[in-house]
């Protein structure tokens, strides 16, 4: 397991920190754990930090993972900011594949900019409380 997932309740951001060698298997495992722990959050804001990772994922696997993100019932509605080192931009194909299918994700080099983007994202769905009050 080459990742660590934490949650910052004040900001409402789940952070996935990858390190070492990271392939499709590690990304899928992290995605499953993220959904299990935080899939109920609306909006689901995720900061993926790849600055300490060495990507071991083929172009076909990148396309596959991009489609997976966009089409997943939980991750498809998530807002995902991805942090990269300036010298290593490792998930361009994943990002472009997901975005071409309408996924809300952006790539960043500066953590503060990634967090600012995530914090400005609003939930597209009304809250349960507002749904109940509209029925009354």
């Amino acid at each position: 397991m080459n990742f660590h997932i934490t949650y910052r309740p004040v900001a409402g951001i789940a952070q996935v920190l990858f390190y070492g060698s990271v392939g499709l298997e590690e990304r899928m495992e992290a995605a499953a754990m993220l959904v299990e722990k935080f899939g109920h959050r609306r909006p689901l804001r995720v900061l993926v930090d790849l600055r300490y990772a060495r990507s071991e994922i083929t172009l076909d696997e990148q396309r596959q993972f991009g489609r997976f993100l966009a089409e997943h019932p939980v991750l498809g509605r998530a807002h995902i900011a991805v942090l990269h080192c300036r010298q290593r931009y490792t998930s361009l194909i994943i990002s472009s594949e997901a975005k071409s299918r309408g996924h809300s994700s952006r790539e960043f080099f500066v953590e503060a900019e990634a967090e600012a983007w995530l914090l400005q994202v609003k939930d597209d769905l009304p809250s349960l409380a507002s749904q109940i009050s509209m029925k009354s």
Side-chain angles (χ1 to χ4, degrees):
M1 192 163 84
N2 294 356
F3 62 89
H4 181 70
I5 299 176
T6 56
Y7 187 74
R8 294 188 247 159
V10 173
I13 295 174
Q15 182 170 358
V16 182
L17 171 66
F18 285 101
Y19 50 89
S21 179
V22 177
L24 181 60
E25 184 178 328
E26 290 82 10
R27 291 170 193 250
M28 295 296 283
E29 186 180 351
M33 190 177 293
L34 182 69
V35 167
E36 180 183 324
K37 289 184 175 187
F38 305 110
H40 64 284
R41 302 262 178 218
R42 290 193 186 258
L44 177 57
R45 297 180 177 108
V46 182
L47 178 62
V48 176
D49 191 341
L50 293 170
R51 294 176 294 179
Y52 308 101
R54 202 174 50 260
S55 187
E56 302 286 339
I57 187 168
T58 68
L59 292 177
D60 284 341
E61 289 173 334
Q62 288 185 52
R63 287 185 192 93
Q64 177 186 347
F65 192 67
R67 285 190 301 273
F68 168 79
L69 287 176
E71 295 169 359
H72 190 278
V74 173
L75 298 173
R77 68 172 168 75
H79 305 282
I80 302 176
V82 183
L83 279 171
H84 296 278
C85 285
R86 290 192 190 276
Q87 301 82 6
R88 282 190 323 255
Y89 187 66
T90 59
S91 63
L92 181 60
I93 303 297
I94 294 171
S95 178
S96 62
E97 187 71 33
K99 284 181 188 178
S100 75
R101 297 171 185 276
H103 192 265
S104 176
S105 64
R106 287 200 44 201
E107 312 294 314
F108 295 90
F109 298 119
V110 178
E111 188 169 350
E113 291 174 2
E115 289 177 5
W117 178 76
L118 286 170
L119 292 174
Q120 61 86 30
V121 171
K122 302 291 183 215
D123 191 2
D124 298 336
L125 301 173
S127 69
L128 180 58
S130 67
Q131 291 175 10
I132 292 170
S133 68
M134 286 190 275
K135 292 179 183 179
S136 304

